[in-house]
Amino acid sequence: MTLQGKKILLGVCGSIAAFKAVILVRQLVKQGAMVRVIMTPDAAAFVAPLTFSTLSKNEVYIHFYEKGEQVWHNHVELGLWADLLLIAPATANTMAKLANGLCDNLLCATYLSARCPVYIAPAMDLDMWQHPATRRNINLLQAAGNHMLSVGTGELASGLWGEGRLAEPETILQHLVAFFTTAPLPLAGKQVLITAGPTYEPIDPVRFIGNRSSGKMGLALAETALQMGASVCLVLGTNSLSINPHPKLTVIPVETAEQMFAATVTHFAAAHIAILAAAVSDYTPAQTHPVKIKKTEQDLTLTLRKTKDILAYLGTVKQPHQILVGFALETNNEQENAQQKLVKKNLDFIVLNSLQNPGAGFQHTTNQVSILNKENNWTHYPLLSKQETAAHILQTITAAYQNQQP
Ligand SMILES: Cc1cc2nc3c(=O)[nH]c(=O)nc-3n(C[C@H](O)[C@H](O)[C@H](O)COP(=O)(O)O)c2cc1C
């Protein structure tokens, strides 16, 4: 049991995702952890405290003191007892309070008193998650040294679809196990370079040639590599993703294929692993008009010139200790084209997503990929979330990287 004897203090807030905290308590106890639960007064409207006290085999704490009783629940004692404080689900409201040091309930007071590491797993609706106030509070909590866990993407309690779901209990558990495990993380000390998103090639000051890439797959790869202990350099084309800051994450925003080439080549020398998931434009206007092109009665012809092939260039300068991974998005002869690309560009792996699979590729939160290695072996995966897909890709690459080192 990996969490044997660890003292976990779980804070539960007033979110519909509070039911997942019940599953989490069961799993923590199964792993041998000692669990104590603090609920906010609002959380008690979502899940009965009796459920938590039964599963944790401990009293559940909600108020500073119970009405009519002369004893108080000592938040300082609770904060000092814990090896780790986990707040899951963390509401927008509680995160705002914690970020600003408010102390009007037992959970907030315990957070301020705790000396142990704090993990925060947010859960809320899409628009609450993206609101500038929430983004600001997350940055403040991160800057204060808390470990912010990523949210999942999917159907939300409101019926909307998007980011904001509480991380799955298994994922939260993995984070806690990783924290208490003394073995180094598989990518500790390694530099991973990732490109993501589209490139925009300007035609004039208001128009561009672009593509439908959202950058979600590349971002999922970056988050997973960080969880595996790597330092990540993310060269990111224009997108609307919200990115959680991380001390080991450097984001380099770029717009054009030329800028992406320059940034990627600059950072490749220091990289142990490079994964090029961006959708780089193959062509760019030969000339960018300095002023907006006026509409006329005539047709307009644009001359396009080829952009530099980033993957092919990196393949020519790659060192034996480096792993280079490309993505292929094909619409026909997928496997054959991907295999040719791997050989031609001197790649170690190619990840193929086929536009023929519904739910895979651009814009989706899910993906269905196949991975080809240099030995011409294919591994096919089912339709998975982009986070799960990223985990498979990085596990495959990491195993090869470890085997390749002298
Ligand atoms: C049905 C329902 C579901 C809610 N789900 C969430 C949620 O997932 N995340 C969130 O930040 N707020 C959610 N709220 C709003 C919070 O419950 C509200 O902000 C509350 O004051 C939070 O209190 P607490 O942070 O002290 O637990 C929900 C409210 C209702 C009525």
Side-chain angles (χ1 to χ4, degrees), residues 13-17 40 42-43 46 90-94 97 105 123-124 128:
C13 304
S15 154
I16 200 75
T40 63
D42 275 312
F46 288 81
T91 51
N93 175 56
T94 291
K97 289 191 201 175
N105 67 30
M124 66 199 69
M128 292 169 82

Side-chain angles (χ1 to χ4, degrees), residues 335-401:
Q335 297 205 4
E336 201 184 316
N337 288 343
Q339 206 256 334
Q340 283 173 8
K341 189 169 172 181
L342 178 136
V343 174
K344 199 170 142 201
K345 301 194 179 181
N346 189 24
L347 310 181
D348 297 279
F349 292 96
I350 193 148
V351 182
L352 169 68
N353 19 34
S354 169
L355 279 186
Q356 287 177 5
N357 295 325
F362 285 176
Q363 298 290 337
H364 296 287
T365 52
T366 49
N367 207 354
Q368 183 167 0
V369 303
S370 301
I371 304 179
L372 175 68
N373 66 13
K374 278 192 294 192
E375 290 73 41
N376 208 16
N377 297 319
W378 282 98
T379 313
H380 303 282
Y381 295 95
L383 189 68
L384 297 168
S385 72
K386 285 190 169 165
Q387 280 76 15
E388 289 166 313
T389 305
H392 283 298
I393 294 170
L394 276 155
Q395 277 156 16
T396 306
I397 297 170
T398 306
Y401 179 79

Side-chain angles (χ1 to χ4, degrees), residues 23-266:
I23 303 165
L24 195 57
V25 172
R26 271 196 76 181
Q27 293 182 346
L28 288 167
V29 170
K30 260 190 173 172
Q31 295 285 331
M34 293 188 266
V35 183
R36 285 169 147 191
V37 179
I38 303 176
M39 300 177 81
T40 63
D42 275 312
F46 288 81
V47 177
L50 185 60
T51 309
F52 285 115
S53 66
T54 308
L55 291 173
S56 68
K57 301 183 181 68
N58 273 314
E59 181 186 355
V60 169
Y61 308 94
I62 302 174
H63 302 289
F64 284 108
Y65 54 89
E66 301 304 327
K67 271 198 187 124
E69 291 190 17
Q70 301 305 311
V71 281
W72 59 294
H73 294 135
N74 188 333
H75 53 274
V76 178
E77 184 274 321
L78 281 169
L80 292 180
W81 170 83
D83 292 325
L84 187 144
L85 170 61
L86 166 68
I87 304 178
T91 51
N93 175 56
T94 291
M95 289 201 301
K97 289 191 201 175
L98 302 184
N100 292 287
L102 270 72
C103 188
D104 65 351
N105 67 30
L106 188 64
L107 178 59
C108 294
T110 308
Y111 165 82
L112 290 175
S113 311
R115 293 188 190 159
C116 59
V118 180
Y119 277 67
I120 299 178
M124 66 199 69
D125 216 51
L126 171 73
D127 299 300
M128 292 169 82
W129 173 248
Q130 287 176 344
H131 197 280
T134 307
R135 309 306 322 154
R136 189 181 61 231
N137 290 331
I138 287 174
N139 287 345
L140 286 171
L141 288 168
Q142 187 118 34
N146 299 295
H147 301 257
M148 301 301 301
L149 300 187
S150 305
V151 291
T153 303
E155 190 173 357
L156 302 160
S158 60
L160 294 175
W161 181 275
E163 287 184 314
R165 280 166 70 97
L166 178 68
E168 291 306 319
E170 297 75 30
T171 311
I172 297 176
L173 201 69
Q174 278 169 14
H175 280 278
L176 304 200
V177 170
F179 172 76
F180 287 113
T181 305
T182 42
L185 291 168
L187 289 176
K190 300 289 169 270
Q191 298 277 346
V192 177
L193 171 65
I194 295 170
T195 69
T199 62
Y200 285 0
E201 310 302 321
I203 298 170
D204 66 18
V206 293
R207 304 181 181 95
F208 60 87
I209 295 172
N211 60 65
R212 297 184 197 279
S213 167
S214 63
K216 286 178 189 159
M217 189 64 240
L219 183 59
L221 284 162
E223 287 173 345
T224 308
L226 289 167
Q227 286 162 15
M228 292 169 78
S231 297
V232 175
C233 175
L234 178 63
V235 179
L236 187 59
T238 309
N239 70 88
S240 58
L241 298 170
S242 40
I243 299 175
N244 286 343
H246 188 287
K248 287 181 165 179
L249 173 67
T250 307
V251 181
I252 301 175
V254 295
E255 190 180 300
T256 64
E258 183 69 35
Q259 289 167 1
M260 189 167 277
F261 180 89
T264 309
V265 169
T266 304

